[in-house]
Amino acid sequence: EEDGADGAEMNAERGISKKYVVLGLAGGIFLYCCIYACLYLFRDTLKSTEEMKGLYTFPVYGGIPLKGKGKSTDAKKNAYEQEKAQILNRVRLACKNQEITRLCIVSDFSFDEQEKACMADLAKQLNSWGIETLITENAGRETAAWDTLADVGHVLMVCRIGTTTHRMVDEEMSFYP
């Protein structure tokens, strides 16, 4: 009989420990979500083009989705081409309305290969429309490029969502002509 009592007592202890394991796991997941949410909200990076449109008074021409999860599909390629064409036409119309013939595409970071190809495509198309286009990476660090920026006089600033900070945008906007 004692073995039966001990067995029931051991099963009760195991049930309690499972209960605490489940509660600990749920508490850990909740704590992780809270920390992630706080880091996301308090991080100083740009989170979307809509945020840029709401915070800044300069025109935001749009965003180009370059990186996607998984394999590249026709739908993603079409979305990329459509966004790129939309931005190109907006920039072309803005240049035409303001009689701009020279434009400098500027970033405060280095482009990766996919971004370099995209910027080269944008510059090529704008050049074909009669808008001389120069591309400058790391403009804040390359003092040699500052004279070119001042000479051109018109800047198209490129930001990377999730990387570019509000401070970077503020500094660049106070610097560029």
Side-chain angles (χ1 to χ4, degrees), residues 4 7 16 103 121 172:
I16 291 173
L103 181 68
D121 287 347
E172 289 185 33

Side-chain angles (χ1 to χ4, degrees), residues 9-169:
E9 203 172 292
M10 291 177 90
N11 285 337
E13 287 178 12
R14 286 184 191 151
I16 291 173
S17 66
K18 288 180 184 178
K19 179 174 130 180
Y20 288 126
V21 167
V22 170
L23 285 174
L25 182 63
I29 291 171
F30 177 75
L31 184 63
Y32 173 80
C33 290
C34 288
I35 290 171
Y36 181 82
C38 286
L39 289 174
Y40 178 79
L41 291 173
F42 294 119
R43 199 172 55 195
D44 189 35
T45 59
L46 295 171
K47 294 167 183 63
S48 68
T49 54
E50 288 76 25
E51 178 185 18
M52 285 185 71
K53 288 176 185 177
L55 288 176
Y56 299 104
T57 57
F58 56 80
V60 176
Y61 295 109
I64 301 174
L66 292 179
K67 296 178 181 172
K69 294 183 179 178
K71 294 184 178 181
S72 182
T73 63
D74 288 338
K76 287 182 184 178
K77 287 178 185 175
N78 289 339
Y80 165 77
E81 291 298 328
Q82 185 177 10
E83 288 291 327
K84 190 170 77 168
Q86 189 176 46
I87 289 171
L88 276 167
N89 282 312
R90 287 176 179 170
V91 170
R92 180 182 59 82
L93 288 173
C95 288
K96 182 180 176 182
N97 289 338
Q98 297 176 24
E99 298 178 0
I100 296 171
T101 58
R102 295 182 75 199
L103 181 68
C104 194
I105 298 175
V106 179
S107 75
D108 202 26
F109 55 88
S110 295
F111 294 130
D112 63 22
E113 292 304 316
Q114 191 178 21
E115 291 166 337
K116 280 183 185 181
C118 180
M119 294 302 119
D121 287 347
L122 292 175
K124 181 180 176 184
Q125 185 61 50
L126 289 169
N127 283 327
S128 74
W129 287 331
I131 303 166
E132 181 185 345
T133 307
L134 307 168
I135 301 171
T136 305
E137 302 178 57
N138 287 325
R141 294 181 195 99
E142 285 191 34
T143 56
W146 295 355
D147 290 332
T148 305
L149 291 172
D151 185 42
V152 170
H154 300 284
V155 175
L156 176 65
M157 187 171 64
V158 177
C159 299
R160 188 185 289 155
I161 299 299
T163 302
T164 303
T165 64
H166 296 103
R167 182 187 53 80
M168 289 167 69
V169 172

Side-chain angles (χ1 to χ4, degrees), residues 1-10:
E1 289 180 33
E2 287 181 18
D3 289 335
D6 287 337
E9 203 172 292
M10 291 177 90

